Amino acid sequence: MEEGDRIEESSSVRLTGRTYSGGGVGESRWVDGSEVDSESPPWSLLDENEGKEGYGSLRRRLVKKPKRVDSFDVEAMEIAGAHGHRSKDLSTWRTLALAFQTLGVVYGDMGTSPLYVFSDVFSKVNIESDVDILGALSLVMYTIALVPLAKYVFVVLQANDNGEGGTFALYSLICRYAKVNMLPNRQPADEQISSFKLKLPTPELERALNIKETLERRSSLKTLLLLLVLMGTSMVIGDGILTPAISVMSAVSGLQGEIKGFNTTAVVVVSIVILVALFSIQRFGTSKVGVMFAPALALWFFSLGSIGIYNLVKHDITVIKAFNPAYIYFFFKKNSRDAWSALGGCVLCITGAEAMFADLGHFSVRAIQIAFTFVVFPCLLLAYMGQAAYLMRYPDSSGRIFYDSVPVFVVATIAAMIASQAMISATFSCVKQSMALGCFPRLKIIHTSRRLMGQIYIPVINWFLMIMCVVVVSIFRSTTDIANAYGIAEVGVMMVTTSLVTLVMLLIWQTNLFMALCFPLVFGSIELIYFSAVLSKVLEGGWLPLVFAAFFLTVMYIWNYGSVLKYQSEVREKISMDFMHELGSTLGTVRVPGIGLLYNELVHGIPSIFGQFLLSLPAIHSTIVFVCIKYVPVPVVPQEERFLFRRVCPKDYHMFRCIARYGYKDIRKEDHHAFEQLLVQSLENFLRKEAQDLALESTLTEMDIDSVSVSSRDYGTQGTYGNEELKIPLMHDRRLEEAGTSTSEEASVALPSSVMSSDEDPSLEYELSALREAIDSGFTYFLAHGDVRAKKNSVFLKKLVINYFYAFLRRNCRAGAANMSVPHMNILQVGMTYMV
């Protein structure tokens, strides 16, 4: 256990002791004015000291106290399908149906690779003998077998985050097991979210703990890990630019041999028209055309396989000799440097392999495995073998090998557009995940489906991708140069995934060390060889993804760096509780009816911006709620576990903190009326539960010590209710209702008959009536218009990054008020400068 954790726990024990020692108002802060955001002290700590003077009483009272009131049972904005993940224990027919659907969403990119692989390979190597064709075919076959099949299907897909895949899913998984997130807003209560699932098996535990401690101790390793994730994400966005360009252009180039006078300029113009049309329909959402994706790609794979068999039988069936990997050696021996250069074209056969992992959230592991193993893999092998057989008879047709051997231009064009659509959608999802984890400027997100929360549309990213695609097609004018750029982006993402999955193996799976090291040694070596080949094409188009990656990496890191500094500044400058007690319940001003929702990023304490509102406004609302929208490193937070609620300051202050927790796949509805209604209902539930707990506590303190001890033991046998309630959010009520057990019955069992019911508590009735009066007066949203500036004694580079680059991003990204559909009449903004 870390030193910081021990300090936090000891502080919690001291404050708890003060609370129950019968101190004054200023000391009664466990329920009334809690500023201790750590959970209750570990029971082992209490057990060890149970025999000592004072600790037995403390433990007895802690066990008898039903639960700490810091959250409530409430649905946070009804979203279909957002309640956890769909069960992955699917029936056989459902799994097969999902496997069929993956053809249209996941495998479009890889399925269209036969359009350009051999034409690019044989632009580097001249066909002079059968060894050239067989060697290239063997290289393609074993590349597909090793990387997509062995690596992704059987290993990487297992490293999913509660069913979600992708670079950020791996990062969030690592963040849960080790505190490597750069934003220090993690709370112990977050670990009680059902989708957190921290399971550390015993084998190799010591090594995993050593890795965890090393990652948490060294900030340089945290930064390196973040940069690695951001680099992978930047490469994925680069794929979103290059995939539509190369797919559409490759499909249109098939017209060159069919229509006279259809030259390169015509290919470029038609490609641009198709690209503009493709990006223009994105605003309608993929769900509108999704029904035709899988059938079209199924037809495509059927065409590839059947025509591959036809070419194989008709032209030269002896190409099956390529199953002998010795032809790879002969290929390199004969062509040496040209063969190494041809690897840049060969790597295109596995483009889209990362999509199997990135799009995992929409399907199941089993469905993706079945589709690739029994449909995609054999059809691709047959397609490449058929092309190779055709080349054995017509070696001069390598430039147009696909269209000469597969006369299906219309199907090819449709398949290419679908492949582009899949990558565009993956880019939207990737950007949304990075925004949720604080690594991308806030942008407008439109949800295009009421049923599937993963289907989103981001206008700014969409038009940026379209402009970049048009520029790429206009400048390069050939698929060969685009292919050089495409290879770097694809292999770069794969190398990042290999690194992160290796860390998952060591830290989380705790795999045998030899097996864990074999993974990066085998697959990392293959990817490094390919990367060295495509990197040699930097001057021939390979510079493009490096520029894209550098641009997005810079933007994402600057945003994360500035956000972390801003958060740390808010933590340093938060208002002390002593100062709040000195102000008194009037807060040094006039309290008028109404509810003020002050949005901030703090999960602890009172934000300094609240002081600015007190200074700027002639009066303040009778009820203040500090609302913190926080993203936790899980895909989805179940609706009933969405909120944490806690009182700030003594009762007569009427101040509360509400923490709304979202996963990186969650949707935030923007209807402020629904949010206000939920918040009010939740606040009332919180007040009633608090009154019930205080009544129980006051009753227990008056009871005989011996009888309390007996009751404590009896109480603990009833499902360890006392312990659970101190350690988990207050979600017990709804779960009891769902099980057919009413909350009132549970309360009647748990509470002595002498405890006053909530309805008879005059202080509760007074507070509820005051709350209803505040509701009738309306809601006001307090928002901070913050300006972040570097301190005067900062180094020049920090001033440049914060004062200019980060400030530019903050000015031009989506403001906090824009994220909520709140009438401007209900918003109050105060400017504040954060010196970081």
Side-chain angles (χ1 to χ4, degrees):
M1 185 178 292
E2 292 184 7
E3 182 179 354
D5 293 338
R6 288 195 295 269
I7 293 173
E8 189 177 10
E9 287 162 2
S10 62
S11 172
S12 177
V13 171
R14 284 197 299 271
L15 276 171
T16 308
R18 287 173 54 197
T19 301
Y20 293 110
S21 62
V25 174
E27 292 181 343
S28 181
R29 292 173 55 190
W30 182 256
V31 173
D32 289 348
S34 174
E35 283 302 312
V36 184
D37 281 73
S38 58
E39 295 299 302
S40 58
W43 291 111
S44 59
L45 189 73
L46 298 171
D47 291 336
E48 291 171 4
N49 299 284
E50 188 174 2
K52 297 182 182 179
E53 184 178 356
Y55 278 93
S57 174
L58 169 61
R59 183 184 188 280
R60 184 165 55 250
R61 294 180 182 182
L62 279 172
V63 173
K64 284 299 294 181
K65 188 177 186 300
K67 72 173 74 172
R68 177 183 173 187
V69 186
D70 62 356
S71 57
F72 41 69
D73 181 12
V74 63
E75 287 188 358
M77 309 176 186
E78 288 286 351
I79 303 160
H83 183 70
H85 257 11
R86 68 173 69 89
S87 173
K88 299 298 182 182
D89 299 328
L90 302 171
S91 66
T92 302
W93 289 111
R94 176 60 177 158
T95 301
L96 291 176
L98 277 178
F100 177 72
Q101 294 172 27
T102 62
L103 296 178
V105 178
V106 178
Y107 296 113
D109 196 1
M110 193 181 301
T112 54
S113 59
L115 284 169
Y116 38 76
V117 171
F118 275 155
S119 61
D120 191 86
V121 168
F122 291 116
S123 68
K124 314 289 195 308
V125 175
N126 295 322
I127 300 178
E128 298 172 352
S129 67
D130 293 351
V131 171
D132 297 320
I133 299 174
L134 294 175
L137 176 60
S138 184
L139 197 58
V140 168
M141 290 166 60
Y142 280 99
T143 299
I144 297 175
L146 283 173
V147 178
L149 185 63
K151 176 188 170 183
Y152 278 91
V153 170
F154 292 111
V155 180
V156 174
L157 286 180
Q158 308 301 325
N160 61 82
D161 180 17
N162 292 338
E164 295 294 336
T167 309
F168 265 100
L170 286 173
Y171 183 60
S172 75
L173 191 62
I174 294 170
C175 284
R176 292 214 299 278
Y177 281 84
K179 297 177 182 177
V180 295
N181 196 334
M182 304 295 285
L183 198 64
N185 65 351
R186 179 163 168 175
Q187 296 173 283
D190 296 339
E191 298 177 13
Q192 305 300 337
I193 298 174
S194 57
S195 53
F196 229 85
K197 291 185 180 177
L198 291 179
K199 296 180 180 178
L200 287 174
T202 51
E204 311 292 341
L205 180 59
E206 185 177 354
R207 187 189 69 227
L209 291 176
N210 289 335
I211 296 174
K212 175 181 181 292
E213 291 172 2
T214 303
L215 283 173
E216 293 177 347
R217 186 171 62 251
R218 298 186 180 180
S219 59
S220 58
L221 291 180
K222 294 182 184 179
T223 304
L224 181 64
L225 181 63
L226 177 65
L227 287 174
L228 189 67
V229 172
L230 296 184
M231 176 62 74
T233 306
S234 303
M235 292 287 188
V236 170
I237 299 174
D239 276 353
I241 296 171
L242 297 172
T243 298
I246 191 172
S247 298
V248 172
M249 201 169 181
S250 296
V252 174
S253 64
L255 293 174
Q256 280 187 293
E258 306 295 331
I259 302 175
K260 289 185 178 180
F262 198 83
N263 55 18
T264 303
T265 303
V267 171
V268 171
V269 172
V270 173
S271 299
I272 290 175
V273 170
I274 293 177
L275 286 170
V276 171
L278 176 65
F279 283 100
S280 297
I281 64 173
Q282 291 300 311
R283 61 192 180 91
F284 298 110
T286 55
S287 58
K288 301 294 189 298
V289 291
V291 291
M292 58 179 287
F293 277 19
L297 262 296
L299 176 62
W300 170 254
F301 281 112
F302 173 77
S303 301
L304 287 181
S306 57
I307 298 177
I309 294 174
Y310 172 79
N311 286 331
L312 196 62
V313 173
K314 181 179 180 180
H315 298 299
D316 194 343
I317 199 171
T318 61
V319 294
I320 61 174
K321 293 186 294 184
F323 279 104
N324 183 357
Y327 281 97
I328 299 176
Y329 168 74
F330 298 145
F331 180 71
F332 277 94
K333 183 179 179 181
K334 178 180 180 296
N335 297 289
S336 61
R337 183 175 178 82
D338 289 339
W340 178 71
S341 178
L343 287 176
C346 178
V347 75
L348 297 177
C349 71
I350 54 174
T351 56
E354 185 70 24
M356 284 193 288
F357 189 42
D359 291 329
L360 179 61
H362 301 290
F363 305 100
S364 66
V365 172
R366 185 68 62 194
I368 292 179
Q369 290 174 332
I370 290 173
F372 186 83
T373 306
F374 296 104
V375 179
V376 178
F377 183 59
C379 287
L380 286 178
L381 287 188
L382 290 171
Y384 286 116
M385 290 169 69
Q387 289 186 15
Y390 188 88
L391 284 173
M392 294 288 276
R393 177 171 291 189
Y394 306 104
D396 294 334
S397 63
S398 61
R400 284 181 42 81
I401 175 59
F402 179 83
Y403 291 102
D404 287 348
S405 63
V406 184
V408 283
F409 169 73
V410 175
V411 178
T413 305
I414 294 174
M417 291 186 66
I418 293 175
S420 305
Q421 174 66 49
M423 202 62 224
I424 294 168
S425 300
T427 303
F428 291 157
S429 298
C430 182
V431 171
K432 182 183 184 298
Q433 289 183 22
S434 57
M435 287 170 57
L437 294 176
C439 295
F440 206 92
R442 293 185 297 269
L443 300 173
K444 181 179 181 180
I445 298 177
I446 298 174
H447 301 279
T448 59
S449 174
R450 291 181 179 273
R451 293 173 298 169
L452 301 175
M453 64 180 183
Q455 293 191 2
I456 59 174
Y457 167 63
I458 306 178
V460 173
I461 297 297
N462 182 68
W463 301 123
F464 176 82
L465 292 179
M466 187 196 75
I467 293 171
M468 288 296 103
C469 280
V470 171
V471 169
V472 167
V473 171
S474 304
I475 292 177
F476 286 89
R477 301 175 67 87
S478 74
T479 56
T480 302
D481 288 342
I482 299 177
N484 293 334
Y486 197 21
I488 290 182
E490 192 68 30
V491 179
V493 177
M494 291 180 179
M495 293 172 64
V496 170
T497 300
T498 300
S499 304
L500 294 177
V501 170
T502 303
L503 185 56
V504 168
M505 285 180 164
L506 294 170
L507 176 66
I508 302 170
W509 293 355
Q510 297 157 19
T511 313
N512 179 273
L513 188 61
F514 174 75
M515 296 297 295
L517 293 180
C518 281
F519 181 77
L521 284 176
V522 174
F523 299 109
S525 299
I526 296 172
E527 289 157 2
L528 280 174
I529 292 172
Y530 273 119
F531 193 69
S532 67
V534 295
L535 207 57
S536 65
K537 309 298 183 205
V538 169
L539 299 179
E540 302 172 23
W543 55 269
L544 188 65
L546 297 179
V547 171
F548 285 146
F551 172 74
F552 282 106
L553 176 64
T554 302
V555 169
M556 295 167 77
Y557 186 74
I558 287 176
W559 182 263
N560 180 265
Y561 176 69
S563 300
V564 170
L565 289 182
K566 178 178 178 291
Y567 184 85
Q568 292 173 346
S569 175
E570 289 191 32
V571 171
R572 286 195 307 268
E573 297 172 6
K574 64 183 179 182
I575 299 174
S576 69
M577 290 303 302
D578 292 336
F579 178 72
M580 295 300 297
H581 289 148
E582 290 177 7
L583 289 178
S585 60
T586 61
L587 300 177
T589 182
V590 180
R591 304 291 293 268
V592 295
I595 297 180
L597 304 180
L598 194 152
Y599 279 77
N600 68 105
E601 297 179 7
L602 284 185
V603 295
H604 307 269
I606 300 174
S608 56
I609 191 65
F610 183 60
Q612 295 292 324
F613 280 108
L614 291 178
L615 292 174
S616 305
L617 300 177
I620 201 72
H621 295 74
S622 58
T623 300
I624 299 293
V625 180
F626 300 108
V627 181
C628 172
I629 304 294
K630 187 178 79 167
Y631 286 92
V632 290
V634 295
V636 175
V637 176
Q639 293 168 357
E640 70 272 14
E641 299 175 14
R642 179 81 70 200
F643 289 106
L644 289 176
F645 213 102
R646 168 170 311 176
R647 190 186 290 275
V648 178
C649 300
K651 272 189 176 183
D652 54 345
Y653 281 62
H654 303 293
M655 295 170 60
F656 308 90
R657 179 187 298 114
C658 171
I659 300 175
R661 303 177 296 181
Y662 293 85
Y664 55 80
K665 282 283 187 178
D666 271 327
I667 297 171
R668 281 179 56 196
K669 274 194 175 181
E670 300 183 352
D671 181 9
H672 70 99
H673 291 297
F675 183 83
E676 291 168 2
Q677 184 179 3
L678 286 168
L679 187 140
V680 168
Q681 293 173 356
S682 305
L683 185 53
E684 290 181 354
N685 293 342
F686 170 82
L687 293 174
R688 288 192 172 93
K689 182 64 68 175
E690 179 191 54
Q692 184 185 74
D693 293 345
L694 288 175
L696 174 60
E697 174 61 28
S698 63
T699 302
L700 292 176
T701 55
E702 299 171 0
M703 295 175 68
D704 182 74
I705 292 178
D706 294 333
S707 63
V708 171
S709 299
V710 173
S711 300
S712 175
R713 288 194 295 273
D714 294 340
Y715 200 90
T717 61
Q718 298 176 8
T720 62
Y721 186 66
N723 289 7
E724 286 182 351
E725 290 188 322
L726 278 166
K727 298 168 77 72
I728 65 174
L730 303 186
M731 306 303 153
H732 205 55
D733 296 349
R734 171 166 297 179
R735 291 168 186 166
L736 287 173
E737 291 171 8
E738 291 175 353
T741 306
S742 70
T743 309
S744 59
E745 291 175 355
E746 178 74 24
S748 65
V749 174
L751 296 177
S753 58
S754 58
V755 176
M756 182 186 299
S757 68
S758 299
D759 295 335
E760 299 172 359
D761 187 347
S763 64
L764 172 62
E765 285 303 315
Y766 168 77
E767 195 158 20
L768 289 176
S769 63
L771 178 61
R772 295 187 188 103
E773 182 183 357
I775 295 169
D776 294 337
S777 300
F779 289 78
T780 300
Y781 290 76
F782 295 128
L783 303 177
H785 183 67
D787 186 20
V788 182
R789 307 287 294 177
K791 294 179 180 178
K792 292 184 178 180
N793 59 351
S794 302
V795 297
F796 171 76
L797 183 61
K798 182 178 178 180
K799 289 182 179 178
L800 180 67
V801 168
I802 297 298
N803 296 349
Y804 295 96
F805 297 147
Y806 181 66
F808 175 80
L809 292 176
R810 281 182 62 85
R811 284 196 303 270
N812 291 278
C813 76
R814 193 168 172 83
N819 289 327
M820 304 168 292
S821 56
V822 180
H824 291 290
M825 295 295 293
N826 292 14
I827 295 177
L828 280 176
Q829 282 191 324
V830 169
M832 183 172 181
T833 300
Y834 298 94
M835 302 303 296
V836 299

